[in-house]
Amino acid sequence: MGSLPSDKPRNPLRDGIYSPTMTFFDPTTEDLDIPTIKKHAVRLARAGLVGLVTMGSNGEAVHLNRTERHAVTSATRSALDEAGFTSVPVIVGASAQSIRETVELCKESEAAGGEYVLLVPPSYYRYAMDEEALYTYFTGVADQSPLPLILYNYPGAVAGIDMDSDFIIRLSQHPNIVGTKFTCGNTGKLTRVARALDAVRPNHRGSGYMAFGGMADFTAQTLASGGSGIIAGGANVLPKSIVKVWDLWAEGKWQESMELQKVVSTGDWVLTKGAIPGTKSAIQSYFGYGGWPRRPLKRLGKEGVERIRDGVKEVMAVEMGLPDKAPSK
């Protein structure tokens, strides 16, 4: 269940908006809530997202065992297929500290229905992770992984490791490394990488390489920098608004895109500060599901719930007024 047929070609990565999906739990037992995980995946696809990421930081991968990780990815793939979204790829976070274990996770991701993997640099032994060690890690995994790799540059999650554009371009000469997610927020770095690798952008397939912005609050800026898409935690809450920013820019309506970007950025900052508990709270407030993260992450009290709800009120008025872009087939 959930895995891709062996004869099915890999879905290409398209320009547009992707989301690292939340993982939902029973509020009492903290067991996986598979029906809600599936419902959420379909809601995002209907909103126009062109790909989903399971087991990212927003998906609380560090709170799940490997059996649960497989179940979440498999359920996501099955839900998309059952709703007719067979062309929406699933990317899987598969990072570990050793080449050996990362390759195992890549193989398990494929078995669960993933088509690509997203990897942060190993950082537990930070003192040893110089450029050559990281090069050995990423190319060693790429040599053995059955799935193509997307590099994930997120210094805040990996003890400050920040891969520069020269290094990313060097790594990306490997044929099994097909993109980078720039959660560092450095649009200059994204510009250099996108240009050097002839990245995908609206109406331009280029080399097929994907240069992803890592947050919704620089969606239009990513487009201006020659980027390929956004992998945005905020798209769990306001997918249609972020898709609209992207589409307006792609249609040449740059001023309209930037005006909506300002509203999205304001709301996305509330979600960024609220992190996983805040994002789940916003989903609960506006869509009637979401719940809480696994402990030890905190549950928001009444004041926190109201702060998040009110903080995204402006952008959610836009969100609720937009139609689904891709109704179920």
Side-chain angles (χ1 to χ4, degrees), residues 11-127:
N11 282 312
L13 296 171
R14 295 173 285 153
D15 73 277
I17 309 303
Y18 297 65
S19 181
T21 58
M22 316 301 291
T23 299
F24 301 100
F25 306 105
D26 181 280
T28 302
T29 65
E30 294 192 354
D31 290 340
L32 292 177
D33 182 351
I34 294 295
T36 298
I37 289 167
K38 296 179 76 169
K39 176 173 73 173
H40 184 67
V42 173
R43 180 174 76 82
L44 299 186
R46 284 176 177 156
L49 299 198
V50 296
L52 301 181
V53 182
T54 62
M55 298 300 95
S57 48
N58 275 279
E60 297 182 64
V62 295
H63 289 165
L64 307 184
N65 61 39
R66 283 164 75 157
T67 300
E68 290 175 319
R69 294 183 189 189
H70 185 285
V72 170
T73 298
S74 179
T76 300
R77 179 71 270 161
S78 293
L80 293 171
D81 291 346
E82 290 161 8
F85 295 107
T86 57
S87 64
V88 174
V90 175
I91 304 166
V92 186
S95 303
Q97 297 300 309
S98 69
I99 293 173
R100 182 187 180 98
E101 186 179 4
T102 305
V103 170
E104 290 176 1
L105 290 175
C106 292
K107 292 177 179 177
E108 291 174 10
S109 298
E110 181 187 42
E115 294 181 78
Y116 302 85
V117 289
L118 181 66
L119 302 181
V120 293
S123 60
Y124 187 83
Y125 298 111
R126 175 65 179 89
Y127 71 91

Side-chain angles (χ1 to χ4, degrees), residues 2 19 35 49 112 118 150 154 165 187 201 221 228 234 275 285 302:
S19 181
L49 299 198
L118 181 66
I150 300 168
Y154 186 9
S165 55
T187 53
R201 58 182 187 271
Q221 295 90 330
S228 312
S285 292
K302 181 180 178 182

Side-chain angles (χ1 to χ4, degrees), residues 302-324:
K302 181 180 178 182
E303 182 179 330
V305 169
E306 292 175 351
R307 182 174 64 250
I308 296 293
R309 183 194 64 213
D310 294 344
V312 298
K313 187 175 181 178
E314 180 187 20
V315 71
M316 289 309 297
V318 174
E319 181 73 18
M320 296 306 195
L322 291 170
D324 282 335

Side-chain angles (χ1 to χ4, degrees), residues 177-208:
I177 295 177
V178 299
T180 300
K181 179 186 179 187
F182 295 86
T183 304
C184 54
N186 187 329
T187 53
K189 184 187 299 184
L190 187 154
T191 301
R192 292 188 292 275
V193 171
R195 182 187 185 199
L197 298 173
D198 191 20
V200 172
R201 58 182 187 271
N203 304 311
H204 178 76
R205 278 302 299 171
S207 67

